[in-house]
Amino acid sequence: MLPGRLRYGVFLLAFVAACSPHGHEDYFGTVRPAHPPDEIWLNNSSEPEYLDPGKLSDSAGSSIVWNLFSGLAQPHPVDLQPMPDIARRWEVSDGGTRFTFHLRPSQWSDGVELTAEDFAWSWRRVLDPATGSKYSSMLYVLKNGAAVSQRALFIRGLPWELHADDTPARVADLFDEIAPIDRVQMTDWPEPGALVFLGGEDEQRPEFRDRAIDALDGHSIGGSRLAVRVADESLVGVRALDDLTLEARLEGPVPYFINLMTFYTFLPVPRHLLERLEKEGVNPELWTKPEHIITNGPYLLKDHHFRYFYYFEKNPLYWEEEKIRIARVRLFLVESYNTTLNLYRAGELDWIGRNSSLPSEFMSYLEPFEDFQRYPYGSVYFYWINTQAPPMDNPKLRRALSMAVDRQSIVDNVAQADQTPTADLVPPGLAGYEGLATPIFDPEGARAMLREAGYENGSDVPAITLIYNTSEGHRQIAEALQQMWKEHLGVEVTIENQEWKVYLKNQQMMNFQIARMGWIMDYADPYTYLELLSAHNGNNHSLWSSREYDDLLLSANTNPDPAKRLALFREAEEMLRDATPLLPIYIYTKSTVLKPYLKGYWGNYQDKHAWKWFWIDERWYEGVPEEPLPDPPPAHYPFT
């Protein structure tokens, strides 16, 4: 049940919160914990879209899922370097294209043993188009992952040398007058053959597949009989060698592959639960409800009141349960930044949470307090542009709108948290990447570009609407853009706020012209940003795609020369700048407040904070201690 104290704070807000009897001049609000020392109260801001690791794509869900499930590796809480988790150790072979993970004995929260096959099945599930994972493209690093996800055709029995230079062209010739093809890729694993990626529109491809199979399966060429089928999960480069050994084979060397193992899309899902629910006639989509969910991470989901709170308890079967000092977590769902700050001040929250921000108008007031923190954050604030929705289908209009944004003014006068203004998607310096350094404000160039777009002045531009998810900060930035476009271009833009789940649904359905978004790097490499605009990325909400762009990314990720790889990425980003399928505003910093008694929190570039590291300094129940207790982060976990 929600504490009465919190209910009171939600409704009476600011001036009630200001009346804390346990405050201190060096801190913002009360400094005495309002709960037992084995419990914490946090805010998640919004309801997540999913708690299913395979379907998840939003930060509201990731903050929960990282605490419910454990993967092969976990990020160190300070530098985010991968450390062993369910995998005790791993080996790399075959020139960086084969990884062998050795798992520690562990259990699901219902006592069922966790095996390597649970990981293999979960990864194949993400690649299955029926799952609808927005992050399926992240698993394209696996051998034949893209082919399975895109339902390419697999052809065996070719009479030619498979790796001869002319073999892909000869395979393509087989499809003349049968079906258009996009590309041909040869494979040796798990059996030799050719993978044919069909062309045409999405809705045409099922017919093309059927036609090609009917025409070519069993067809004899040079005495060799062809076998043609849709690429299935048996071709994916992941398999369990035994219960505690998992093998992953990659398309090519991927320098950040172990970093991917700390990302939620690679977490295991309890196959036995989904299959049991289906047998019992229960919709398997409901498996993440508190009454059904089975997890393998530090915490268990015990209760959920929609748009109110989540309640978690420590998992007694977690493999290092004895190290966890917080037994219970209450996670509230307060969207308003001002309300969140007032609840924090009253002691109803120990930390405002990963998905909430400080009200910009109070930033300078909060900075002097001891419980204020700010650190760099690897995330870009931007706006999607629906490139198929008139008038936003005009790339020069999109470019004009971007050039007319005074990003420095937004940072200085609206966001006010020392962010870095940027007109580029990829932050400079990431893994040695040299950014484009596109000018962040060019009103004269914007007006010239508007004329090139075919508009003499902004009053000629048809109606444009910008949507954003409900929050004071997003509203203020949207209003600033609205004013800038009116002032510098004469373009009228309507702005509209929407509740988070409604907003995500409209974004998914492409029911918008311009929509706010932020992208947190999933790993420390430019590809984590650039892949967002690839044609088959489920998070690409621009409807912009380019074969040339995708080919550049593919060439970059198969190039063994690090300098050439980054140069290809830069060439790809130049294409994005010219096409403007999205409109970057700034690179985040993270500004937050957390109670001085809450320990085990260390700022990092992804703002990842596992609850299992948190603990309470109990001296604060008696008053303000003279000296803080040491709070060193854990040592990097070694292989075992």
Side-chain angles (χ1 to χ4, degrees), residues 106-118:
S106 62
Q107 298 172 296
W108 291 101
S109 55
D110 62 350
V112 173
E113 294 299 316
L114 177 67
T115 69
E117 181 57 29
D118 288 322

Side-chain angles (χ1 to χ4, degrees), residues 342-361:
N342 285 317
L343 292 171
Y344 172 85
R345 186 176 185 181
E348 310 302 341
L349 294 172
D350 303 320
W351 172 40
I352 64 169
R354 180 174 186 252
N355 299 303
S356 190
S357 297
L358 297 172
S360 57
E361 60 268 27

